[in-house]
Amino acid sequence: MNERVIPREPHGLDWFQNGTSRIPFRVYTDAELHTRELENFFYKNHWCYVGLEAEIPNPGDFKRTVIGERSVVMTRSEDGSVNVVENVCAHRGMQFCRQRHGNRKEFVCPYHQWSYTLKGDLQGVPFRRGVKQAGKVNGGMPADFKTEEHGLNKLRVATRGGVVFATFDHAMESFEDFVGSTVLGYFDRMFDGRKLKILGYNRQRIPGNWKLMQENIKDPYHPGLLHTWFVTFGLWRADNKSELKMDSHFRHASMISTRGNAQAANEVSKVSSFKETMKLHDARFLDIVPEAWWNGPTAVMTTLFPSVILQQQVNSVSTRHIQPRGNGEFDFVWTHFGYEDDTPEMTERRLRQSNLFGPAGFVSADDGEVIELSQKGFEQKPEHRTLAELGGREVGDTDHMVTETLIRGMYAYWRKVMGL
Amino acid sequence: MSAALEFETYNAIVQLHARYASAVDANDWGAWVDCFVDDCVYRIQPRENFERGFPLATLSFESKGMLKDRAYGIAETLFHDPYYQRHIVGAPLILSASDAGIECEANYVVIRTKLSELSTVFNAGRYIDTIVRTSEGLKFKLRQCIYDSEMIPNSIIYPI
Ligand code: FES
Ligand SMILES: [Fe+2]
């Protein structure tokens, strides 16, 4: 094996054949690159996930979350609109909102009691006109101080199908153009206008670079190999009909798969496997009932770059929010939900199948583990690179899963945006 | 009610808690399963979901069969970085006791030790239990592990 050793410019990276089939470990280990990623991907030119409208159903409701590493608050104001403001007081910068959710008429920063509307407009400044004492006015804000100029940092907001995205970048393209028609089709399939019903949260902190989670869901190579449980109980089979589709920039993707015999639900619940003897003691984990909105596929995993993964795995649906914390760690927040018209049985089924996913899930716990251990490998040898050449070195949609093309696509986009 | 609880019963509850901790810290999943009656519920749930009335749990099992399936998953299918766990369980607080069962709570801390690493607090919370009498002694009908820990340090593989 010939390893090319090219002397690097300060921030240059060595890409094999100027492609993206071999990814330098340094993209995961370099703190300075991470800061540039936050700027380029999370703080401009990208719509980032903040939550679901169902989390703030009533006027006054709010939820605190993050975009990249910046704290933001999503609110519903009196007129019913959804707003997202940065959690930094316009006075002296305090992160004023510490509750993670709740209901308020206004936001008041505890430090000097500046108050803001739920849309982020500054409405009250104590002692703005000074304090009268012995016929004289002491202090007060300068005469030219205008409350209109000192509101909270207001983000641009896009809602679609009950999902809320925001951006600090007021000049960027629409959410629909950002996602692109192909992936938007799969977005709309899952968020088809029915009201969502929050089932709850799971939160895990994964000691690995945030991009590894995007890669994990762009990697159909591993599920049948790492997730033995999937295979043992017949949820993952090599003969599943599959497609991989990307947006025109290769940043977003959908992995679409349809179990053989998807229509025959009883086939699934027999949970027989190729190891004839392996049967679940309680088959309710895999009590799968096809739903009309699936329109065929039994699983569609969509990665919206950079911030979120949309999960449909049979009857289990969730959003998975990526929240970076430096180059070596990220928080991963799962919001499981159902639909307004779910029967109690369907809600129960979604909850049972959620045992497969999340930080302890039969098939997801191992994803966090391999990400942690990948990061360890990168840290010990930052000048090395990964090899993502299954299915070739090119990037393109496929009608099979035997490829790492989506990872190559993501780094083609990464290189373009980062200029590296 | 708790005042009326004879020492013998209280002692048996403490013994069940100790037996449970011993089983899950020794990776003895068979003994873990045996702490439950057939028709049982076992849940590991974030305090946030519990207090806000969200039904989602990190794990939620509704039968001894599901516990056996988890035991199989741990032993045979789940890949994970090896670790030890150590449970420190507080004295049970008895909330009610009748022929139908005993309702009680106990604080717990689970310490995780990965190979070549320091020991760290892995998960902290409260058990909320319903314990019933069987011919084989006291067993859990319901065990809920409601954890304060806002973040799971990567993943939970073994039962809490
Ligand atoms: S920092 Fe917020 S009011 Fe002063
Ligand atoms: Fe996976």
Side-chain angles (χ1 to χ4, degrees):
Chain A
M1 281 267 273
N2 272 343
E3 301 275 320
R4 297 185 316 155
V5 180
I6 290 180
R8 286 191 301 258
E9 335 129 36
H11 301 300
L13 294 169
D14 175 21
W15 296 91
F16 178 70
Q17 292 178 352
N18 200 28
T20 52
S21 70
R22 300 182 184 186
I23 300 144
F25 283 3
R26 233 160 41 90
V27 310
Y28 309 103
T29 59
D30 189 316
E32 201 263 343
L33 281 180
H34 178 71
T35 308
R36 288 167 67 185
E37 287 180 340
L38 288 174
E39 278 309 317
N40 285 321
F41 298 125
F42 288 92
Y43 304 152
K44 72 171 192 233
N45 213 28
H46 291 74
W47 286 101
C48 289
Y49 176 83
V50 282
L52 302 173
E53 285 202 60
E55 295 176 276
I56 49 162
N58 303 307
D61 285 349
F62 71 89
K63 169 192 153 178
R64 174 171 59 76
T65 180
V66 295
I67 292 181
E69 298 180 2
R70 289 164 79 168
S71 178
V72 298
V73 187
M74 165 172 87
T75 71
R76 190 178 293 276
S77 48
E78 291 307 324
D79 62 8
S81 66
V82 176
N83 312 272
V84 178
V85 295
E86 188 163 16
N87 189 9
V88 172
C89 179
H91 178 223
R92 281 186 15 221
M94 176 167 155
Q95 212 175 66
F96 57 89
C97 177
R98 296 303 299 161
Q99 294 303 113
R100 195 163 47 210
H101 69 98
N103 185 283
R104 294 279 160 80
K105 290 232 171 323
E106 58 179 9
F107 287 115
V108 179
C109 176
Y111 203 171
H112 311 91
Q113 304 279 309
W114 283 32
S115 67
Y116 304 92
T117 66
L118 295 164
K119 290 179 192 265
D121 294 317
L122 176 62
Q123 51 181 12
V125 175
F127 307 136
R128 181 178 168 194
R129 304 197 193 283
V131 176
K132 231 185 224 150
Q133 199 181 26
K136 147 169 170 296
V137 177
N138 293 329
M141 298 299 276
D144 63 356
F145 176 86
K146 292 195 183 63
T147 48
E148 311 83 72
E149 290 172 1
H150 298 283
L152 299 171
N153 187 13
K154 299 176 186 173
L155 283 77
R156 207 172 132 208
V157 175
T159 59
R160 190 175 173 97
V163 193
V164 184
F165 292 83
T167 172
F168 292 100
D169 189 345
H170 285 260
M172 72 167 294
E173 63 192 334
S174 70
F175 174 74
E176 286 71 19
D177 288 345
F178 169 72
V179 176
S181 59
T182 304
V183 176
L184 195 62
Y186 289 100
F187 181 95
D188 289 344
R189 168 181 174 273
M190 193 162 154
F191 301 104
D192 56 8
R194 282 179 295 166
K195 277 224 169 70
L196 307 180
K197 199 164 63 182
I198 306 296
L199 297 180
Y201 305 99
N202 269 314
R203 300 171 192 274
Q204 63 187 133
R205 179 161 295 171
I206 301 179
N209 184 272
W210 66 273
K211 295 189 295 301
L212 291 168
M213 187 45 85
Q214 285 279 347
E215 286 177 36
N216 184 268
I217 309 297
K218 290 177 188 286
D219 165 19
Y221 190 5
H222 83 277
L225 302 165
L226 173 66
H227 303 311
T228 325
W229 201 91
F230 252 155
V231 183
T232 306
F233 297 108
L235 257 190
W236 183 276
R237 290 167 29 163
D239 61 354
N240 282 0
K241 193 167 139 263
S242 323
E243 285 177 295
L244 304 179
K245 294 186 187 172
M246 286 173 274
D247 72 316
S248 59
H249 302 274
F250 307 143
R251 54 191 173 190
H252 316 306
S254 292
M255 296 200 305
I256 306 126
S257 58
T258 311
R259 268 194 88 265
N261 286 326
Q263 296 82 340
N266 56 337
E267 176 71 14
V268 181
S269 37
K270 261 197 293 176
V271 294
S272 56
S273 74
F274 62 90
K275 290 182 199 164
E276 271 312 313
T277 51
M278 264 333 299
K279 284 231 161 58
L280 284 168
H281 288 97
D282 193 325
R284 288 178 297 176
F285 282 131
L286 290 176
D287 167 31
I288 294 158
V289 171
E291 300 175 63
W293 65 269
W294 292 2
N295 247 324
T298 48
V300 177
M301 296 296 297
T302 296
T303 41
L304 291 185
F305 195 80
S307 66
V308 72
I309 289 149
L310 310 173
Q311 169 208 325
Q312 179 233 333
Q313 287 278 4
V314 284
N315 299 115
S316 174
V317 281
S318 75
T319 63
R320 310 177 182 178
H321 189 183
I322 298 172
Q323 309 181 347
R325 295 169 55 87
N327 70 280
E329 181 175 277
F330 65 98
D331 289 345
F332 201 41
V333 178
W334 303 62
T335 306
H336 282 258
F337 60 90
Y339 301 93
E340 195 177 33
D341 57 356
D342 285 350
T343 60
E345 294 73 29
M346 182 54 83
T347 301
E348 210 162 74
R349 184 173 295 119
R350 296 197 201 287
L351 287 166
R352 277 197 195 110
Q353 290 177 25
S354 76
N355 282 300
L356 276 57
F357 309 102
F362 280 106
V363 295
S364 291
D366 8 31
D367 287 319
E369 295 288 304
V370 297
I371 285 174
E372 176 173 353
L373 301 176
S374 298
Q375 185 72 19
K376 280 189 190 296
F378 306 152
E379 299 284 356
Q380 78 177 50
K381 206 179 174 187
E383 69 290 348
H384 198 52
R385 81 291 178 277
T386 71
L387 189 79
E389 302 193 343
L390 192 75
R393 300 198 175 108
E394 311 298 303
V395 176
D397 292 357
T398 66
D399 58 1
H400 63 83
M401 292 281 189
V402 199
T403 177
E404 291 168 305
T405 191
L406 301 183
I407 296 174
R408 294 191 288 275
M410 183 177 102
Y411 282 98
Y413 177 68
W414 187 96
R415 290 192 63 187
K416 195 172 68 187
V417 173
M418 296 287 282
L420 289 166
Chain B
M1 182 56 82
S2 59
L5 198 73
E6 344 67 277
F7 173 77
E8 204 180 318
T9 307
Y10 187 82
N11 190 45
I13 294 167
V14 172
Q15 280 301 310
L16 176 64
H17 280 190
R19 197 165 79 233
Y20 181 97
S22 159
V24 293
D25 290 350
N27 292 19
D28 187 345
W29 312 129
W32 169 62
V33 170
D34 280 340
C35 292
F36 292 84
V37 296
D38 288 347
D39 176 22
C40 62
V41 169
Y42 173 75
R43 286 161 71 74
I44 304 178
Q45 192 184 35
R47 178 172 177 166
E48 175 185 19
N49 290 351
F50 181 74
E51 290 184 348
R52 293 178 69 181
F54 291 131
L56 185 77
T58 305
L59 286 177
S60 179
F61 302 146
E62 303 154 81
S63 68
K64 202 170 189 167
M66 286 189 173
L67 299 189
K68 287 180 184 160
D69 289 329
R70 182 66 181 184
Y72 176 82
I74 294 167
E76 302 293 336
T77 75
L78 270 164
F79 168 76
H80 63 90
D81 204 16
Y83 68 96
Y84 304 127
Q85 63 175 3
R86 185 66 51 197
H87 283 64
I88 316 293
V89 183
L93 171 68
I94 313 300
L95 301 173
S96 75
S98 68
D99 288 345
I102 300 148
E103 293 181 331
C104 58
E105 293 184 7
N107 291 338
Y108 70 80
V109 177
V110 184
I111 293 165
R112 179 177 74 173
T113 309
K114 286 194 168 192
L115 304 182
S116 313
E117 295 293 340
L118 303 175
S119 301
T120 56
V121 172
F122 178 56
N123 192 275
R126 167 170 68 126
Y127 290 126
I128 303 178
D129 300 328
T130 302
I131 294 169
V132 292
R133 296 178 174 87
T134 75
S135 55
E136 298 162 39
L138 297 187
K139 292 199 178 206
F140 293 110
K141 166 104 179 122
L142 164 73
R143 167 147 268 197
Q144 298 189 82
C145 319
I146 307 298
Y147 60 92
D148 296 344
S149 308
E150 276 280 307
M151 283 294 161
I152 291 169
N154 205 345
S155 57
I156 293 178
I157 306 293
Y158 305 147
I160 296 290

